[in-house]
């Protein structure tokens, strides 16, 4: 888990407030200018990378270019790596720096890499070697199962004495020792239908990108492997456009020590368009001053936001987190430091408290808890990719039957999990908004200038805007924390954006109070700001159609949710 930062009051408050205010102004001005003018087209990357996903310490090879020097320095975000020539294949290679920041990072020959550089998705710590989740288009499932070993063997034949030895060894292990998994449909059973309500503006449903021709390009432009996509009549007739109609299963590659990034890149190459791959870990429920000591969450939101009633009647808030309806097995394994209190060791719960906060804001809403994190066999706090995707698909299925729904995701990580994004598109397409935590400053600790600090799904917020008109609502809200102390009431110092310049970190879409007490213990961070917004949305949706516009308000002492609280008469 990540360390919790101690934010004790001190003499530097005034300086910090000034710096944060300048950051906010600069960031908002830059964002406005960027949206007002079309971005210039980026030049194509001068080389490719294989694999395109790798962990710190993994090898990566440059492909598609032969004119580079034998050695030199290449930059992964703000971190240098040495180029060398692979002795077996002659490919240029580098090792991902141990200090490389997780998530998509630009790769180039200068620091920081220029716009248009190649992009390497760096796996977060602990995900270097783990099983992967496969999503398979149901129409292609039988063909992929039958051709899995055969295509691997063809790739292996093409790579003999032409590809790096480490890559060849990984293909050999996948071919002979990692069988194709059993597949199950995504989603779960749908509850009884409930009455729907019109007026929600909807995004288009996910559409499959379609099959592509797999191609591994060697230095100099020669193809080491080329294979036509699956085009049999049965496959073409059975392809489905909806993501939540796909099949899924776990490929047990970790037991053979095959690097996660190589498995993802190789299987995507072999079955492009009909098979997608993710790591099994989808992120963590991140957590991170003594205002409102021991007050109930309802008192805090009434006092700070001025909420009068906050009904939420007829709306279901789906909390996907560490808690089930009967238990929450999560325990914080790092002492929690909160103002001048003694460190709180072994603080329990996460999802249960998130649900309590949502219920406090929308007392008449139905709050459902589904455990997708801290499951048996997983590290404490780790969230399951497949469980999270299944839960989102189940919400989409329920919403198709009717009713009004909100999803709360107080979790996230640096890896842009494909299945999570596609499942969220399905949820948005049936009119269900999702509220995601923006991420805390410990996401960005250790980053260097030139690194990009990511927290998904929150960083996809701009991709879920429902219209082209400025100010259109987004179906995926990224929630930062608001410092609720009377003397500050501004962007909280535990937010992710305060560690490195905002130019490297996407802006949140809204702020909300993120500091609460439960059972005599403090809970604070963007995880606990997100359910405030989930409750506010439920209050709106209980009496008004559609999804409200929730602007990002960064003015100190100005209620950031004033335009949407108390929506009902």
């Amino acid at each position: 888990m990540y360390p919790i930062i101690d934010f004790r009051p001190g003499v530097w408050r005034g300086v910090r407030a000034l710096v944060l205010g300048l950051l906010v102004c600069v960031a908002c001005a830059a964002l406005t200018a960027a949206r007002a003018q079309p971005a210039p087209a980026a030049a194509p990357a001068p080389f490719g990378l294989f694999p395109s996903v790798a962990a710190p310490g993994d090898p990566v090879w440059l492909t598609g270019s032969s004119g580079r020097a034998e050695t030199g320095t290449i930059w992964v975000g703000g971190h240098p790596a040495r180029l060398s020539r692979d002795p077996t294949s002659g490919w240029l290679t580098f090792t991902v720096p141990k200090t490389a920041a997780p998530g998509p990072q630009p790769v180039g020959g200068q620091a920081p890499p220029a716009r248009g550089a190649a992009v390497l998705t760096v796996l977060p710590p602990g995900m270097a070697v783990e099983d992967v989740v496969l999503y398979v288009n149901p129409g292609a499932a039988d063909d992929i199962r039958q051709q899995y070993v055969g295509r691997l063997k063809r790739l292996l034949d093409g790579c003999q004495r032409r590809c790096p030895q480490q890559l060849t060894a990984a293909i050999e292990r996948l071919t002979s020792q990692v069988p194709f998994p059993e597949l199950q449909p995504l989603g779960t059973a749908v509850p009884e239908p409930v009455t729907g309500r019109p007026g929600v503006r909807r995004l288009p449903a996910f559409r499959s990108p379609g099959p592509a021709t797999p191609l591994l390009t060697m230095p100099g432009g020669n193809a080491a492997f080329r294979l036509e996509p699956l085009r049999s009549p049965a496959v073409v007739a059975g392809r489905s456009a909806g993501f939540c109609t796909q099949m899924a299963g776990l490929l047990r590659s970790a037991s053979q020590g095959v690097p996660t990034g190589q498995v993802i890149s190789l299987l995507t190459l072999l079955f492009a368009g009909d098979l997608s791959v993710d790591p099994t870990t989808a992120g963590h429920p991140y957590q991170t001053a003594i205002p409102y000591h021991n007050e109930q969450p309802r008192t805090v939101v009434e006092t700070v936001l001025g909420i009068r009633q906050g009904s939420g009647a007829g709306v279901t808030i789906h909390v996907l987190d560490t808690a089930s309806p009967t238990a929450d097995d999560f325990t914080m394994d790092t002492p929690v430091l909160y103002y001048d209190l003694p460190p709180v060791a072994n603080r329990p719960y996460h999802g249960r408290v998130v649900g309590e906060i949502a219920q406090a804001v929308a007392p008449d809403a139905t709050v459902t808890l589904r455990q997708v994190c801290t499951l048996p066999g997983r590290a404490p706090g780790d969230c399951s990719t497949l469980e999270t995707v299944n839960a989102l698909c189940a919400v989409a299925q329920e919403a198709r039957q009717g009713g009004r729904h909100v999803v709360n995701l107080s979790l996230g990580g640096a890896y842009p999990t494909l299945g999570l994004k596609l499942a969220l598109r399905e949820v948005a397409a049936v009119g269900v908004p999702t509220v995601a935590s923006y991420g805390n400053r410990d996401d960005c600790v250790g980053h260097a200038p030139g690194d990009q600090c990511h927290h998904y799904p929150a960083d996809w917020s701009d991709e879920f805007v429902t219209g082209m008109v400025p100010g259109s609502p987004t179906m995926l809200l990224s929630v930062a924390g608001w410092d609720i102390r009377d003397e500050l009431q501004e962007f909280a110092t535990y937010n992710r954006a305060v560690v490195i310049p905002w130019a490297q970190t996407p802006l949140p879409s809204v702020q909300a109070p993120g500091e609460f007490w439960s059972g005599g213990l403090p809970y604070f961070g963007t995880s606990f700001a997100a359910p405030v917004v989930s409750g506010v949305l439920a209050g709106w949706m209980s009496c008004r159609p559609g999804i409200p516009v929730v602007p990002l308000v960064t003015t100190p002492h100005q209620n950031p949710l004033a335009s949407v609280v108390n929506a009902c008469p």
Side-chain angles (χ1 to χ4, degrees), residues 491-544:
F491 196 80
T493 57
Y494 55 74
N495 285 303
R496 172 168 49 120
V498 302
V499 177
I500 60 176
W502 280 26
Q504 296 295 319
T505 306
L507 291 167
S509 54
V510 64
Q511 290 189 82
E515 303 169 35
F516 297 94
W517 290 79
S518 178
L521 297 174
Y523 292 83
F524 61 104
T526 61
S527 282
F528 307 105
V532 174
V533 176
S534 294
V536 168
L537 286 183
W540 172 287
M541 294 166 67
S542 65
C543 67
R544 301 181 66 168

Side-chain angles (χ1 to χ4, degrees), residues 187-210:
T188 57
V190 185
E192 289 297 316
V194 293
T195 303
R197 187 181 183 92
V200 177
R201 189 175 185 181
R202 303 186 175 190
L203 290 174
F206 163 75
R207 290 290 180 265
S208 170

Side-chain angles (χ1 to χ4, degrees), residues 231-290:
R231 289 202 177 101
S232 71
V235 169
V236 173
R239 280 195 178 106
S240 171
F243 173 71
C244 286
T245 64
Q246 297 202 0
M247 311 285 284
L250 295 179
L251 188 78
R252 304 294 185 179
S253 53
S255 63
Q256 301 304 317
V258 187
T260 306
Q262 292 187 26
V263 178
I264 292 172
S265 300
L266 285 168
L267 294 186
T268 301
L269 173 75
L270 288 172
F271 298 102
D274 284 305
L275 181 146
S276 304
V277 194
D278 273 329
T280 52
T281 302
H284 306 272
Y286 290 89
Q287 306 183 66
T288 11
I290 291 184

